[in-house]
Amino acid sequence: MLYTARPPKPTGELDFALVWLIFGLLGIGLVMVYSASIAIAEGSRMTGHHGYYFLLRQTVFVLAALVAGAMVFQVPMRTWQQVAPYLFMAGLVLLVVVLIPGLGKEVNGSRRWISLGFANLQPSELMKFFAVLYAADYTTRKAAVMHDFKKGFMPMAAVMLLSGALLLHEPDFGAFVVITGIAVGILFLGGLNWKVFAALLSVLLVGFVTLILTSPYRLQRILGFLDPWADPYGKGYQLSHSLIAFGRGEWFGLGLGGSVEKLFYLPEAHTDFLLAVIAEELGFAGVAAVLAMFVVLVGKAFLIGRHAARLERNFCALVAMGIAIWFGVQAGINMGVNMGLLPTKGLTLPFLSFGGSGIVANCIAVAVLLRIDWEHRQMMRGKTF
């Protein structure tokens, strides 16, 4: 659909450069989560004053994510395409369940988690993966009518509006932005009429502005973002301390473990604002290295998608590119928030920030990327899928 030229013949069984890249991100995440959380863990009764609490939990999450990724890698892409609509429906059910009092767990005014006893499940993280699969399957099935607004765009818009409404009820505006970006990006890559695409972007922009203006707490975040120093102990508190961390880090940082901001000054230091701790301890060099790794990851995902398109495996192409959009948008927003380029938003840094559901969803997505690439390599050897 997108390309017709024959791709170059790949060598080897797996793209080990991609594998090591992910191990590198996970490794950096483990070290920095421990560094950012040790003071919080030692000062909290919930953790039993155990400084290794978050490190141990993150290690378990990473191991579970790697096991899940290994299992997902065994699933052929044709199977993912067949189950994509059902997985998306299951995701919608989970988004409904999380809103039910007694089933959904509320933290800091947001109801985003389902308690499993040993851990909390965050449906919005899985929904990002399900959205990639569903949008890719939908666009592939509707390829012949993607230029038609009524037949090509409206059905998908209705489904995404439903999922968006559920996410905003949690509320989880960050996940809503990421999932919307995934869906719109895949539709555009799949052949959505450019006029419809332009109109859609305009409507989304108006919608986002309306959501901000009609929500007091979102409006306060925007005001705090515009001038965090006007109220450094109020709405600008989190961003001002993040900027202080970046300023203290300078070129090469204060050294691993040397952050002061993580000592109960910077909220969510081991989750949403982990990059600020990286900046303070590893400096510009550390932040640049993390940014470069994400650029390579997103680039590799797009290249895998391009190869799939050349082989006329359109579903695989759109899945790979959808994953690239997911990681690119989420990492970009998180980094922008940490550096004061975007309003404060609760989005984690993929593969690095503390959190089980996010790590598992990220590793599953990479396993699918590796599966797509692996199938291409097998096809070059004469095998079919």
Side-chain angles (χ1 to χ4, degrees), residues 47-220:
T47 65
H49 305 286
H50 195 310
Y52 292 94
Y53 177 82
F54 291 104
L55 172 63
L56 293 175
R57 287 183 67 83
Q58 185 76 344
T59 301
V60 172
F61 293 153
V62 169
L63 292 175
L66 292 175
V67 171
M71 295 172 63
V72 164
F73 180 78
Q74 308 302 319
V75 181
M77 289 309 298
R78 66 173 183 274
T79 301
W80 286 116
Q81 185 170 9
Q82 292 168 353
V83 302
Y86 305 105
L87 288 176
F88 190 79
M89 286 189 288
L92 290 176
V93 171
L94 288 175
L95 290 181
V96 172
V97 170
V98 80
L99 296 175
I100 300 175
L103 296 179
K105 182 178 179 180
E106 185 173 337
V107 178
N108 296 329
S110 297
R111 193 181 296 274
R112 303 177 185 176
W113 299 268
I114 298 173
S115 179
L116 302 179
F118 58 91
N120 294 320
L121 173 66
Q122 190 170 356
S124 60
E125 292 293 340
L126 295 178
M127 197 61 178
K128 295 168 187 174
F129 176 62
F130 297 159
V132 169
L133 295 178
Y134 179 75
D137 174 57
Y138 175 88
T139 305
T140 302
R141 287 187 287 107
K142 299 284 187 175
V145 295
M146 284 307 296
H147 63 281
D148 189 302
F149 178 81
K150 183 177 180 180
K151 295 180 180 179
F153 172 71
M154 285 303 294
M156 183 66 178
V159 172
M160 297 314 297
L161 283 173
L162 174 60
S163 61
L166 293 172
L167 288 167
L168 291 174
H169 270 81
E170 295 184 5
D172 194 344
F173 188 70
F176 171 64
V177 171
V178 173
I179 291 174
T180 300
I182 291 169
V184 172
I186 290 177
L187 286 173
F188 177 71
L189 291 169
L192 183 67
N193 184 286
W194 71 268
K195 293 181 180 179
V196 175
F197 181 72
L200 175 61
L201 290 182
S202 300
V203 171
L204 286 174
L205 180 60
V206 172
F208 287 146
V209 171
T210 302
L211 285 171
I212 291 169
L213 295 178
T214 56
S215 176
Y217 87 92
R218 292 193 186 106
L219 184 58
Q220 289 301 310

Side-chain angles (χ1 to χ4, degrees), residues 212-360:
I212 291 169
L213 295 178
T214 56
S215 176
Y217 87 92
R218 292 193 186 106
L219 184 58
Q220 289 301 310
R221 285 188 173 184
I222 294 294
L223 295 175
F225 156 72
L226 293 174
D227 188 4
W229 308 110
D231 187 10
Y233 297 104
K235 55 180 177 286
Y237 182 83
Q238 201 165 24
L239 178 54
S240 62
H241 280 280
S242 179
L243 294 176
I244 290 171
F246 271 85
R248 283 174 51 81
E250 298 186 349
W251 289 100
F252 298 104
L254 302 174
L256 190 62
S259 170
V260 173
E261 287 300 318
K262 69 185 181 184
L263 304 178
F264 302 100
Y265 293 105
L266 178 62
E268 309 297 338
H270 59 302
T271 55
D272 300 346
F273 281 83
L274 186 66
L275 189 69
V277 179
I278 294 174
E280 190 175 4
E281 296 189 348
L282 305 181
F284 173 81
V287 173
V290 170
L291 175 60
M293 294 173 79
F294 275 105
V295 169
V296 173
L297 172 59
V298 172
K300 277 186 167 292
F302 270 117
L303 284 175
I304 291 172
R306 183 184 180 193
H307 292 165
R310 284 172 166 173
L311 291 168
E312 298 185 357
R313 304 188 76 205
N314 296 327
F315 173 73
C316 294
L318 292 173
V319 167
M321 293 180 185
I323 291 172
I325 294 170
W326 169 9
F327 290 157
V329 169
Q330 183 162 336
I333 292 176
N334 178 274
M335 292 179 181
V337 166
N338 276 252
M339 291 186 281
L341 301 175
L342 293 171
T344 302
K345 193 71 227 82
L347 273 178
T348 56
L349 190 58
F351 301 101
L352 276 78
S353 295
F354 177 80
S357 299
I359 293 289
V360 170

Side-chain angles (χ1 to χ4, degrees), residues 4-23:
T4 56
R6 187 178 181 84
K9 186 175 180 179
T11 57
E13 290 294 322
L14 283 177
D15 184 347
F16 283 103
L18 177 57
V19 174
W20 286 113
L21 176 63
I22 298 305
F23 279 139

